[in-house]
Amino acid sequence: MKNILLYFLISLSTEGVFGESLSVKEGGSVTLSPQLTEIKKDDVIDWRFGDILIARVRYNNNPSVYEDALDGKFRGRLKLDGQTGDLTITNFRNTDTGEYEVSNIINNFRKTISVTVMSAVEVKLVSVLKGDSVTLHTDLTEVHEDDVIQWRHGDTCVAEINKTCDGPDGRFRDRLKLDHQTGSLNITNITTADSGLYEVKISSSRRTINQRFSVTVIVGFMFMREGSTVILNTDTEIQRDDEILWKFGDEVIRIDRFNRRVDSRWRNISVSDNGDLILANIQSDQFGDYDVEIKNKSALKKLQYKVKDVKDYVLH
Ligand SMILES: *[C@@H]1O[C@H](CO)[C@@H](O)[C@H](O)[C@H]1NC(C)=O
Ligand SMILES: *[C@@H]1O[C@H](CO)[C@@H](O)[C@H](O)[C@H]1NC(C)=O
Ligand SMILES: *[C@@H]1O[C@H](CO)[C@@H](O)[C@H](O)[C@H]1NC(C)=O
Ligand SMILES: *[C@@H]1O[C@H](CO)[C@@H](O)[C@H](O)[C@H]1NC(C)=O
Ligand SMILES: *[C@@H]1O[C@H](CO)[C@@H](O)[C@H](O)[C@H]1NC(C)=O
């Protein structure tokens, strides 16, 4: 049970359009579970993919996987647990996406689990200057009538078409607009708290599309004189367990904020209690982009500072 369950979308299960959904990396493994406490006498647990029986487990019998089903589509890639009824699909392919149904003939139990592929490539990187607006574009040219479109920021639902979602505790107020043609999301006057991961899920009877966006908020451009001191702050009230990751370009700056130490290689850079980066006596090769990611259990913040040589400042 290790290489499994890569990402969980919060399921909004009121027996509804969503049911349970899972996303898995292409080539990864996923375990689908009927979540039964035990398999009782007479139980017959069936797994179907698009109406076709692919696996069955009966009480006190060896589990069977039907390798020839669907022209051998799943051959060698299904594992069925005879104790729990859990079905594992290994080496998950794009063509394996869809609805998996598990049922128990005996007590009319039925549940569908929708599985989509989530490859790293699908995360679109978006940078936006604090205070500006940004549109996160879906790949759709039109929204169909029966589409349900849901946008999440972290694990909060922030916007939805044709379902009601509570929205993000007033944080976005009137700053979000959903384009009813394309499902794209427009955020105005962006704040640092708006940074992080966004996910849109578009689903109807015909299709399920997931897209992800990683939004970095550029906190500011700082034009500095060589030899001066710059403080780049995390703009967050850091808690003890929060993870802070600073980078200069692609290079990670290793910090220990409890000892206020920075890997010695980064000359004249130190760190505050709050994880702020202090660049003293900045040298010409230290101008560039500084990124910070601040992560806790429920949120991810991604900020960037562009530290530039004042000599490069151009008046417009
Ligand atoms: C988002 O909406 C605002 C307000 O309607 C608009 O001014 C802005 O151009 C839009 N932003 C983008 C990036 O499309
Ligand atoms: C949403 O539902 C309403 C009726 O409930 C329908 O008229 C509309 O076309 C649906 N789709 C969108 C994208 O709003
Ligand atoms: C943008 O948000 C800030 C607070 O984050 C607020 O002070 C400012 O008035 C807002 N600007 C606009 C144009 O709404
Ligand atoms: C570090 O900063 C001090 C002054 O703050 C300076 O004298 C020294 O040369 C700097 N060291 C490096 C390697 O830049
Ligand atoms: C996680 O971080 C966000 C924003 O940085 C903050 O609003 C939230 O309270 C934090 N949650 C926990 C559990 O620390």
Side-chain angles (χ1 to χ4, degrees), residues 230-244:
V230 195
I231 298 175
L232 309 177
N233 64 63
T234 52
D235 200 34
T236 307
E237 278 204 31
I238 301 291
Q239 308 297 318
R240 198 176 165 87
D241 292 338
D242 290 357
E243 283 171 41
I244 301 172

Side-chain angles (χ1 to χ4, degrees), residues 31-45:
T31 294
L32 311 178
S33 175
Q35 278 157 355
L36 303 173
T37 45
E38 58 173 345
I39 293 185
K40 300 201 184 69
K41 198 166 180 303
D42 300 331
D43 280 350
V44 181
I45 311 291

Side-chain angles (χ1 to χ4, degrees), residues 130-131 175 188-192:
K130 187 175 166 184
R175 299 188 296 112
T188 51
N189 195 12
I190 206 151
T191 70
T192 53

Side-chain angles (χ1 to χ4, degrees), residues 143-145 161-162 180:
V143 168
H144 293 134
E145 222 170 66
I161 291 183
N162 271 359
H180 284 244

Side-chain angles (χ1 to χ4, degrees), residues 38-249:
E38 58 173 345
I39 293 185
K40 300 201 184 69
K41 198 166 180 303
D42 300 331
D43 280 350
V44 181
I45 311 291
D46 283 347
W47 283 98
R48 288 189 164 76
F49 179 70
D51 288 345
I52 307 296
L53 186 66
I54 54 172
R56 167 174 285 177
V57 59
R58 287 159 179 261
Y59 178 75
N60 259 350
N61 269 275
N62 285 331
S64 321
V65 291
Y66 301 102
E67 301 242 281
D68 292 335
L70 296 159
D71 297 328
K73 174 186 175 68
F74 291 109
R75 185 165 293 131
R77 298 191 296 123
L78 295 180
K79 263 181 265 157
L80 185 59
D81 186 315
Q83 298 296 312
T84 61
D86 289 1
L87 181 70
T88 298
I89 307 163
T90 57
N91 189 16
F92 200 88
R93 297 171 186 164
N94 228 324
T95 49
D96 298 342
T97 56
E99 306 264 320
Y100 290 79
E101 185 193 271
V102 60
S103 61
N104 185 357
I105 299 165
I106 297 306
N107 61 2
N108 261 335
F109 166 83
R110 190 181 297 274
K111 160 168 150 178
T112 55
I113 303 174
S114 150
V115 187
T116 52
V117 166
M118 184 179 280
S119 73
V121 203
E122 277 174 52
V123 180
K124 289 192 182 142
L125 300 177
V126 177
S127 287
V128 55
L129 193 59
K130 187 175 166 184
D132 274 3
S133 71
V134 67
T135 298
L136 307 179
H137 292 281
T138 64
D139 294 337
L140 293 184
T141 49
E142 65 166 336
V143 168
H144 293 134
E145 222 170 66
D146 63 340
D147 282 339
V148 173
I149 298 185
Q150 186 183 68
W151 279 94
R152 293 182 158 272
H153 177 224
D155 49 19
T156 316
C157 170
V158 293
E160 222 170 9
I161 291 183
N162 271 359
K163 277 189 91 197
T164 48
C165 105
D166 291 343
D169 53 54
R171 183 159 60 73
F172 286 95
R173 273 194 203 95
D174 303 325
R175 299 188 296 112
L176 293 181
K177 269 200 322 265
L178 202 52
D179 182 327
H180 284 244
Q181 286 281 306
T182 61
S184 299
L185 186 70
N186 173 303
I187 312 168
T188 51
N189 195 12
I190 206 151
T191 70
T192 53
D194 300 341
S195 66
L197 277 184
Y198 287 78
E199 174 155 13
V200 61
K201 182 171 170 171
I202 298 153
S203 49
S204 69
S205 47
R206 287 178 312 273
R207 59 180 176 185
T208 302
I209 300 166
N210 269 7
Q211 279 182 263
R212 305 212 304 163
F213 302 83
S214 169
V215 175
T216 298
V217 171
I218 302 166
V219 185
F221 287 80
M222 308 171 94
F223 288 93
M224 306 304 297
R225 208 175 296 282
E226 225 179 287
S228 55
T229 295
V230 195
I231 298 175
L232 309 177
N233 64 63
T234 52
D235 200 34
T236 307
E237 278 204 31
I238 301 291
Q239 308 297 318
R240 198 176 165 87
D241 292 338
D242 290 357
E243 283 171 41
I244 301 172
L245 180 74
W246 278 101
K247 277 188 188 173
F248 176 59

Side-chain angles (χ1 to χ4, degrees), residues 236 239 242 294 296-299 301:
T236 307
Q239 308 297 318
D242 290 357
I294 305 133
N296 67 18
K297 283 194 191 68
S298 60
K301 249 186 183 175

